[in-house]
Amino acid sequence: MEMKAGPSECVALIGDLVASRSASSRRAAQEALIQALAAANELVPSLQAPAPTIGDEFQSTHETLDQALLTALVVRLALPEGMDARVGIGAGTVEVVGRSEYGLTQDGPAWWNARDAIGQVEQRAGRQSGLRTWVHEGGTVNAYLMVRDHVVSGFDGRQRRLALGLIQGRTQRQLAESEGISPSAVSQSLRRSGALAVVDGLELVR
């Protein structure tokens, strides 16, 4: 999407892969990230679609905070087991300040705030190892994210896929068929893992 020439208000998202340098295959990790970003792009409206930037980083911009929060969640759920991402989110203005062979060069408080927020995730990792998402000056939203991230960080691969499937609008019967298990097993997994609470919480955040 072509950005406006002057400053414009938005919510910026900056993310990166956790411990990507220790991955057995950096190429496979990058491909998994690209697929996860594509899943987020299919589900969540954006001003700038989620896309990789340099190394293991990615970014996007959105009209609303709840869109950025959902993007962060979908990317995490869409990554395969053993991979994870941390995300910083910041609101403010963004301005196109130039162009290069890589595209538009942007600057502004939204990006500064998002960068500060992802720094907060790193700083708090020692005390809250499962924390993966932070909003600059997010107040009680960050309290919600602490709990959400704690639950999602405990998911195994199947639990991630089931939670993502619900967000995508798939029925429990469809999920059961794709996983090769019974619908009752899907229901039990969603309840016990906390995935239902995570998905239901999205509506309350909106």
Side-chain angles (χ1 to χ4, degrees):
M1 177 177 177
E2 187 73 14
M3 295 288 291
K4 296 178 181 178
S8 58
E9 293 282 340
C10 71
V11 179
L13 179 154
I14 296 175
D16 64 11
L17 293 177
V18 176
S20 62
R21 293 183 181 180
S22 62
S24 57
S25 170
R26 295 292 297 275
R27 180 182 294 274
Q30 192 69 15
E31 290 175 353
L33 174 61
I34 291 172
Q35 292 177 7
L37 296 176
N41 189 37
E42 289 179 2
L43 286 170
V44 190
S46 61
L47 298 173
Q48 285 181 266
T53 53
I54 299 174
D56 60 2
E57 287 199 354
F58 58 93
Q59 64 185 40
S60 61
T61 59
H62 304 270
E63 288 187 313
T64 64
L65 176 58
D66 66 284
Q67 291 171 355
L69 294 176
L70 180 55
T71 296
L73 176 61
V74 171
V75 170
R76 292 192 68 198
L77 295 176
L79 287 170
E81 187 173 9
M83 290 184 63
D84 208 345
R86 61 187 154 224
V87 169
I89 297 169
T93 57
V94 168
E95 184 174 8
V96 175
V97 295
R99 295 175 182 270
S100 70
E101 59 182 307
Y102 301 105
L104 299 176
T105 303
Q106 300 177 34
D107 197 9
W111 290 119
W112 309 336
N113 293 339
R115 181 66 66 185
D116 176 75
I118 199 170
Q120 286 292 318
V121 177
E122 296 181 64
Q123 290 179 25
R124 294 169 182 270
R127 183 176 176 84
Q128 300 160 291
S129 60
L131 184 66
R132 293 291 182 266
T133 320
W134 197 258
V135 178
H136 178 75
E137 296 184 350
T140 55
V141 174
N142 286 324
Y144 155 73
L145 289 172
M146 287 180 185
V147 178
R148 187 180 85 173
D149 282 357
H150 176 76
V151 174
V152 174
S153 292
F155 286 175
D156 59 24
R158 171 172 285 172
Q159 290 164 341
R160 287 187 185 189
R161 294 191 298 272
L162 293 178
L164 179 60
L166 285 185
I167 295 172
Q168 292 170 328
R170 301 171 66 191
T171 66
Q172 292 190 20
R173 183 171 297 278
Q174 290 172 327
L175 293 173
E177 291 175 355
S178 65
E179 293 291 331
I181 57 179
S182 68
S184 62
V186 170
S187 178
Q188 290 176 11
S189 177
L190 290 170
R191 290 199 309 273
R192 292 175 179 173
S193 68
L196 281 179
V198 170
V199 175
D200 289 349
L202 294 173
E203 293 301 321
L204 297 177
V205 171
R206 292 193 184 105

